[in-house]
Amino acid sequence: YNVRILYEYYLRRQCIALDYKNTKHCRDLSYDIIETIEKHIDELDKLLKFKRSQTDFKTYLKDSINIITAKKEGKSATYWNLHDPNLASKLGLKPSTVLLIPSDKGAGKTSFMVYIVDGLLTLNKNISVLWFSLEDTIHSMICKFVSMRTNLTTKQINSENYVLTEDDNKNIAKALKEIEDFNIEFIDESSSIFDIQKTAKKFVEKNEGNDIVIVIDNFGLIDQTKMTGNNLENEKEIVKK
């Protein structure tokens, strides 16, 4: 009880200090107003880390329950299922996991991630996916999911130099029906790390109780125009956030 009182007074002092600094920056025309607002929101958000630790504990508790349940049922796997069990065991995707996929341009990172996410949403319960598609449109992304299930290329699906057969149209309709209940949301507009943070936070709140998977495709396309450091400094800040 006493610690809570101390913590509340700490938050009040910090808010006053932040508001004072923010007011100064708002009056100074040399500061970008959008960046000022975003940094202010970011700094206020950091003050709630104490509150968020309770959610972190619930995540760890859920992991522990899954491990205990799996062992009770004679299973050793505590990771999410994918279409390829061997790939699932090697990646070991589960809450609090970060997966980085580096490759040359055009090597198929997005198609690989479509395969992974399709498996996550098809074979696991209570997973919600937020996909920042910084290079492809939402229509293009849907076509990639359909392509994986029909063995048609995205160009064929869009009738580019190809005439869809009756069977093709049936397969496309079947694939669309299979994925229509996927809990996935695409953001296909330019996004800064601040945009990603805010959108992700709202997505988590909207899908409370679910495991959240966030895909950023790709890292190099995160908007850095509102960041003031050099490329290396900005990349470090992006990774941190």
Side-chain angles (χ1 to χ4, degrees):
Y1 174 79
N2 291 329
V3 169
R4 183 176 181 85
I5 293 173
L6 290 172
Y7 183 66
E8 286 182 356
Y9 274 100
Y10 162 76
L11 289 178
R12 291 177 187 278
R13 288 197 307 273
Q14 292 299 103
C15 284
I16 291 168
L18 287 175
D19 286 344
Y20 176 72
K21 183 175 76 171
N22 189 54
T23 301
K24 283 175 60 180
H25 289 181
C26 287
R27 287 175 174 165
D28 189 339
L29 298 182
S30 65
Y31 285 90
D32 180 81
I33 187 61
I34 301 299
E35 183 180 351
T36 296
I37 293 171
E38 288 180 337
K39 284 188 175 180
H40 187 61
I41 292 172
D42 188 42
E43 287 171 331
L44 287 172
D45 189 53
K46 287 177 182 177
L47 293 179
L48 297 177
K49 282 186 177 178
F50 179 82
K51 179 181 178 182
R52 282 205 300 270
S53 66
Q54 296 173 3
T55 304
D56 292 339
F57 175 73
K58 289 179 181 177
T59 299
Y60 296 137
L61 187 62
K62 185 192 290 185
D63 285 350
S64 296
I65 291 171
N66 288 339
I67 292 170
I68 293 168
T69 303
K71 288 187 176 179
K72 181 180 177 182
E73 295 173 354
K75 301 176 184 177
S76 59
T78 57
Y79 44 78
W80 289 320
N81 295 314
L82 300 176
H83 290 305
D84 182 343
N86 189 45
L87 178 62
S89 66
K90 289 219 171 8
L91 292 181
L93 291 177
K94 57 184 179 180
S96 303
T97 301
V98 176
L99 174 65
L100 300 177
I101 304 178
S103 79
D104 293 332
K105 184 175 175 137
K109 291 188 295 294
T110 302
S111 296
F112 181 56
M113 280 309 304
V114 166
Y115 178 72
I116 290 176
V117 169
D118 190 289
L120 288 174
L121 292 171
T122 302
L123 302 174
N124 303 274
K125 294 181 179 179
N126 303 322
I127 287 185
S128 303
V129 177
L130 176 60
W131 190 313
F132 291 90
S133 175
L134 306 180
E135 193 169 15
D136 296 291
T137 63
I138 295 176
H139 171 71
S140 175
M141 291 306 305
I142 292 173
C143 285
K144 288 180 187 294
F145 276 88
V146 172
S147 172
M148 196 198 81
R149 290 171 172 264
T150 60
N151 291 320
L152 292 167
T153 67
T154 54
K155 287 186 177 181
Q156 288 174 327
I157 292 170
N158 285 299
S159 298
E160 295 182 25
N161 299 319
Y162 180 79
V163 178
L164 292 169
T165 66
E166 186 176 341
D167 285 342
D168 289 337
N169 285 320
K170 286 181 180 178
N171 289 333
I172 290 172
K174 180 173 179 282
L176 288 169
K177 184 68 177 175
E178 290 172 348
I179 68 175
E180 69 177 357
D181 291 328
F182 277 2
N183 192 349
I184 185 169
E185 184 175 317
F186 291 103
I187 307 295
D188 66 347
E189 56 193 33
S190 177
S191 300
S192 68
I193 191 61
F194 304 107
D195 297 326
I196 291 172
Q197 282 183 302
K198 286 184 291 185
T199 305
K201 184 179 178 182
K202 290 178 182 177
F203 187 78
V204 169
E205 292 170 352
K206 186 169 70 174
N207 293 277
E208 186 178 2
N210 282 8
D211 288 323
I212 307 298
V213 175
I214 298 175
V215 181
I216 302 175
D217 185 15
N218 64 54
F219 182 88
L221 295 176
I222 295 176
D223 185 4
Q224 297 186 22
T225 54
K226 296 173 185 175
M227 304 184 76
T228 55
N230 58 43
N231 283 340
L232 183 58
E233 290 171 341
N234 289 347
E235 286 180 0
K236 285 182 178 179
E237 183 68 12
I238 288 171
V239 170
K240 178 183 173 184
K241 291 186 181 300

